[in-house]
Amino acid sequence: MDKVRRVISVVVANEAQVLARVSGLFAGRGYNIDSLTVAPIPDTDLSHMTIVTYGNRRVIEQIVKQLHKLIPTFKVIEHTEMVEKEMVLVKFPIEAPLADVRALCEAYNGGIVNAGTEMFIAMAADESARIEHFVDAIKRYHPLEVVRSGVVAMER
Amino acid sequence: MKMSGAQMVCEAIIAEGVKTVFGYPGGAIMNVYDEIYKQNAFKHILTRHEQAAVHAADGYARATGEVGVAMVTSGPGFTNAVTGLATAYMDSVPLVVISGQVPLSLIGTDGFQEVDAVGISRPCTKHNYLVRSIEDLPRILKEAFYIARSGRPGPVLVDIPKDITGEMGEFIYPDHVNLPTYKPRYKGNDRQIKKAVEAIVKAKKPLLYIGGGTVLSNAYQEVREFAELTQIPTVETLMARGVMGAKNPLLVGMLGMHGSYAANMAMSETDLIISLGARFDDRVTGKLSEFARYADIIHVDIDPANIGKLVDVDYPIVGDVKTVVNKMLEMIREKVDPDRYQVWRDILARYDELHPLSYTDSDEVIKPQWVVERVGELVGSDAIITSDVGQHQMWTAQFYPFDRPRQWINSGGLGTMGYGFPAAIGAKVGVPEKTVINFTGDGSILMNVQELVTAAEYGVPVINIILNNHFLGMVRQWQTFFYDKRYSETDLSYQPDWKKLAEACGGAGYDVTTKAEFDEALRSAMEGGKVTFINVAVDRFENVLPMVPAGGALYNMLLEHKDQ
């Protein structure tokens, strides 16, 4: 069976151990996590996790069911029609061509977010696949450090 | 009402109607033990090892159908309990295990007897709690019992720091739990059930595949009624032995790795599997690509994650077996034609004639299967039968005439050697009016042999029948079949004096080498009223047959092994 990439949102009770329960479930059952982001949902005692995973149909089905089984799990959304964004921060030496980098960032919903005497930091926010392209494109400017945020997603 | 955390634990146990708790005290749980000392609403049984405490609570739960409770201290007390938790988790047994923890201020400091209990137990409990405040304790205790027994049952750990058991707080035990994130589904989807019933009516060779879930949901009457009404042949898993009753003509037998020829062939040739509370374990399916190639599958299970996990299911029904089968009965009553499957039943009967479950008895040496059958003849359905893990477990499952659910207690999912004896103690404490017999091996029994002392102290007269082949028998069997008889570390020739060992701890012991001696020993053991070891010297090289080699197709069974 072919492996597919899936973005899954999990709404969980915002309580101690819950992240460990979710990540432990993936580790213990041998599922893959590409990225995992988590933050509280405003004005509730719930948290929203976005998990990017891949596997064949049966694995994805098990992941969803096993996530459902966790006692603190409120809702699991297997996204089909979604808006998906990921952020990336990239640090460049000050010698890198600022204008070129800025132009590139702007093509990916970003810009220069910090600059100092030794380095400057650029940001981009876009779909994961486009962030891959961005990271590829900026390689020629010899970035010092690249930090990706992981995906957040919302069903349309 | 104000009380200490320790008192709250006791009050919750009383409120939940638990009559007996198994455990072992230590530093971090001492406050609770102090409260246990002061009350007499429930009994506490001091096992000699924490693992045995959890197994005993597990045996109690399986025999009675109620929640079992075990209590252990922090650190090593808890880690010793982990095997018990994992055993109960794999077989979906409702347990609440309460562990002491170092005080809140010491958590995370590698304090004396500190271990991350919730972290360690996460993959082998249904849910677990670290209590962080006295205000949460009554709610957590209520939730623990509720989660343990509802939905697909399972063990729940409540880890309580010592300062919380000592702290005073307001105790209001909730009547209901409020867990918006946890909603087990009991009622199956009506449309799906209707479709399944239509498939059953149309099938030519349907097969009921009965799993341990039918025991857990107390669905045996419904399942028997369904089988009898429709006249559909039935196979049982290891965990479901007793659901149909040994003499039921519709029971083809146990299936799987050591299932009967007829049962495995039935599974291989059926055109419609009706799976009730079974989870398509690898010991049942054999090679997946060859499993039930001609069959559509109806899968009834309370745990949605069990459905479609290994095989594609045509009619998934998430719900409690008892509820769903009741609904199916209602729908199928008018449509049923019991003669429809006559040819299919005849084929299976023929398979059974060709290769019945059997063994070659001997007058020279006792065959282990004979012992199992003999106990069946002498005590039958009156007894609760537990077992350890190994060849003796399979012979018991194959040859004991199980007549009712909750009569057969063994570690199916995890395969825990050392389970049988403490589980037998728990079962006997839970159902004192029944004779409790534990079939064990000379390998398994030593893994929790210290419980002789527990059984003797509390006067729990369980009878352990050691089918002694001076081998780690099942591993020896695999070495014979698949490792060219290289018996690496499976020869257990060096043994204790079993009779003296039992006597030294306050029990009774018998060494048996003939059939007559066995009958006499069993009779004495039943009358003696003491914990007993009956050490039976059995054929050293007897194998469990038939056997589906691991990973092989279910229909390719080894039916005999001549080279012994």
Side-chain angles (χ1 to χ4, degrees), chain B residues 297-344:
Chain B
I297 298 177
I298 298 168
H299 192 168
V300 182
D301 203 303
I302 197 154
D303 179 357
N306 265 347
I307 298 179
K309 183 170 63 176
L310 294 162
V311 294
D312 285 324
V313 169
D314 305 275
Y315 306 92
I317 301 171
V318 179
D320 169 55
V321 172
K322 191 183 177 98
T323 317
V324 172
V325 176
N326 261 324
K327 190 77 195 172
M328 285 168 108
L329 270 169
E330 213 176 275
M331 287 183 182
I332 208 163
R333 219 174 278 280
E334 305 302 312
K335 304 178 181 176
V336 76
D337 172 13
D339 293 333
R340 184 173 169 81
Y341 318 119
Q342 185 61 49
V343 176
W344 173 225

Side-chain angles (χ1 to χ4, degrees), chain A residues 54-126:
Chain A
Y54 56 92
N56 61 39
R57 179 185 57 76
R58 184 161 282 147
V59 166
I60 300 290
E61 195 179 309
Q62 264 301 299
I63 289 174
V64 171
K65 285 175 171 174
Q66 293 292 344
L67 285 168
H68 261 299
K69 254 177 93 168
L70 295 176
I71 307 286
T73 300
F74 189 70
K75 198 156 83 172
V76 183
I77 307 154
E78 208 184 335
H79 291 296
T80 48
E81 296 273 309
M82 64 181 158
V83 175
E84 174 195 339
K85 291 288 172 210
E86 179 174 359
M87 194 181 78
V88 62
L89 294 173
V90 189
K91 190 186 283 177
F92 294 94
I94 199 71
E95 295 80 20
L98 193 69
D100 290 6
V101 173
R102 174 179 288 143
L104 195 58
C105 289
E106 279 167 3
Y108 291 91
N109 301 317
I112 307 296
V113 291
N114 191 289
T117 53
E118 303 280 303
M119 56 84 205
F120 66 93
I121 296 174
M123 181 273 283
D126 215 319

